[in-house]
Amino acid sequence: MMYDRILIRYGEISTKGRNRNKFIDKLRRSVRKAIEDFPKARVQSDRDRMYVLLNGEDGIKVSERLKNVFGIQSFSPAVKVEKDITIMKAAALELFKRLYSDGKTFKITGKRSDKKFELDTNEINYEFGGHLLTNIPGLKVDVKNPDINLQIEVREEAAYLSAETIRGAAGLPVGSSGKAMLMLSGGIDSPVAGYLSMKRGIEVEGVHFASPPFTSERAKQKVVDLTKKLSEVSGQMVLHVVPFTEIQQMIHKQVPENYTMTTTRRLMLRVTDRLREKNGGLAIITGESLGQVASQTIESMYAINEVTNTPILRPLITTDKTEIMDIAAKIDTLEISNLPYEDCCTVFVPSSPKTKPKLEKVQHYESFFDFEPLIEKAVNETETIVVKPIMEQQIEEDLF
Ligand code: ATP
Ligand code: MG
């Protein structure tokens, strides 16, 4: 038996009123992107539901992809069968047995839009329920809270059977909330911050500061790999790699050691803001979590944030490290983040950074040098890469 289609339920976008069509459109695009290496599959949508018509593509593999698409509340793979009661019964039993194990309860939810079909809704429930009960000893009905809800929908062209409701990633379709720049280090936190922002519909572009030759090509590759992971959600992701060496060296010349960290962050933010403007973003995202390190005290944030009015989104601000690591493990970035390559900030890290820097002081130290031309230069020399996910299907094709 092969799945014929997958029924997708929208979830939160159904509450978006007038924007509904826009949301459905974005979701359809995300779904298409997520399954673009299944060329025979087609995506159809109406106000309440979306369908992936599989046309022979593997329903289980396609389902795996749909689990990562934001904006999907739940989905159900369905089998299409001829509207013949004997055939339908056999198919229902086969589908049911795949999910059944001892002690599970069930109910049948019949539906028919073909009013000429010989059984009405109640009769469908009764006939098919009876068929399962006779064939599976010990099976019990539970209409209120069944473990398995076998749905039988009789339409004009055929009958559809589905028994599984798979939870989607929820959230909002990527791109439905505008664009923001994610300050992406090679660490654990920032990829998680990016993922959570994508979950609320933000289109994310990465900005990474590299300081060659103090940071290596492998450190950069690590960030490209993290971007690749994140791009699985959106289909592709842009990454800007900023050459930061010159600015960092100048900071160390100009600013007393215990303030270099604050100035470094301020300059990273200024460069990111410039890139944001250039690329049509509306906010900046960081992986900061309150109190985690010296640069992440509220006093530090106050001194650093002063360089821009752009909204800074900090999805992890109140999250503990263990919670962040749990998400990183779930989205598969933890292992990459744990690779031991040096980051530009660790290379230049002062021995005792100020945990409570004073804004007037940092302004004073920075006032002796005009960083503007260096910022300009860094922005102009930024390398922009479009990163695409590695699709499982492609790997298989490459192998054979
Ligand atoms: P992460 O795990 O994300 O590296 P962290 O706990 O190491 O975070 P910091 O090094 O203080 O914390 O960095 C705080 C935030 O600043 C990061 O989450 C990231 O958003 C940004 N950031 C730090 N280093 C870089 C970098 N080299 N390029 C781009 N952004 C960076
Ligand atoms: Mg870091």
Side-chain angles (χ1 to χ4, degrees), residues 105-123:
T105 58
F106 88 110
K107 80 166 182 180
I108 305 275
T109 307
K111 243 191 231 163
R112 62 166 197 173
S113 50
D114 172 11
K115 299 293 176 207
K116 285 189 284 236
F117 187 64
E118 54 196 289
L119 304 177
D120 69 17
T121 309
N122 281 332
E123 288 164 344

Side-chain angles (χ1 to χ4, degrees), residues 183-185 187-190 207-209 265 268 286-288 292-293 295-296 343-345:
M183 295 180 69
L184 186 60
S185 67
I188 293 171
D189 306 328
S190 40
V207 177
H208 176 67
F209 292 85
R265 297 296 181 186
M268 279 186 172
T286 76
E288 286 162 306
Q292 209 185 77
V293 290
S295 61
Q296 298 179 23
D343 182 51
C344 69
C345 301

Side-chain angles (χ1 to χ4, degrees), residues 184-357:
L184 186 60
S185 67
I188 293 171
D189 306 328
S190 40
V192 173
Y195 175 83
L196 294 176
S197 307
M198 288 166 150
K199 177 165 185 180
R200 293 311 296 172
I202 297 177
E203 180 190 347
V204 169
E205 290 192 6
V207 177
H208 176 67
F209 292 85
S211 296
F214 305 102
T215 61
S216 64
E217 194 54 35
R218 284 195 307 181
K220 176 180 152 190
Q221 186 56 43
K222 177 180 170 184
V223 175
V224 173
D225 291 343
L226 285 169
T227 308
K228 220 170 252 182
K229 260 287 156 220
L230 289 177
S231 74
E232 284 175 16
V233 172
S234 50
Q236 70 172 43
M237 185 170 150
V238 172
L239 173 66
H240 307 279
V241 182
V242 183
F244 201 49
T245 319
E246 222 175 319
I247 294 181
Q248 274 193 307
Q249 284 171 324
M250 192 50 74
I251 293 170
H252 282 262
K253 244 188 230 159
Q254 295 295 328
V255 176
E257 167 151 334
N258 59 354
Y259 268 83
T260 52
M261 188 268 308
T262 310
T263 294
T264 305
R265 297 296 181 186
R266 284 164 61 93
L267 282 159
M268 279 186 172
L269 200 50
R270 284 169 71 179
V271 174
T272 305
D273 208 24
R274 213 57 67 78
L275 288 166
R276 172 200 64 76
E277 215 178 327
K278 212 173 148 181
N279 293 282
L282 294 170
I284 293 169
I285 305 157
T286 76
E288 286 162 306
S289 159
L290 195 59
Q292 209 185 77
V293 290
S295 61
Q296 298 179 23
T297 62
I298 214 152
E299 291 84 357
S300 270
M301 282 179 208
Y302 182 79
I304 295 164
N305 216 147
E306 190 248 353
V307 300
T308 179
N309 285 323
T310 302
I312 313 238
L313 312 182
R314 300 180 175 93
L316 305 177
I317 197 67
T318 61
T319 344
D320 297 336
K321 194 75 187 184
T322 48
E323 295 173 296
I324 299 171
M325 287 172 74
D326 286 347
I327 304 176
K330 210 187 83 196
I331 65 172
D332 245 7
T333 54
L334 186 61
E335 209 175 309
I336 309 173
S337 294
N338 274 336
L339 295 171
Y341 309 126
E342 65 299 315
D343 182 51
C344 69
C345 301
T346 45
V347 174
F348 287 90
V349 78
S351 50
S352 55
K354 271 257 179 262
T355 53
K356 297 185 177 179

Side-chain angles (χ1 to χ4, degrees), residues 144-159:
K144 284 224 175 82
N145 194 16
D147 297 315
I148 303 172
N149 179 4
L150 180 65
Q151 298 172 51
I152 301 176
E153 191 174 350
V154 182
R155 300 171 68 119
E156 289 301 327
E157 72 284 4

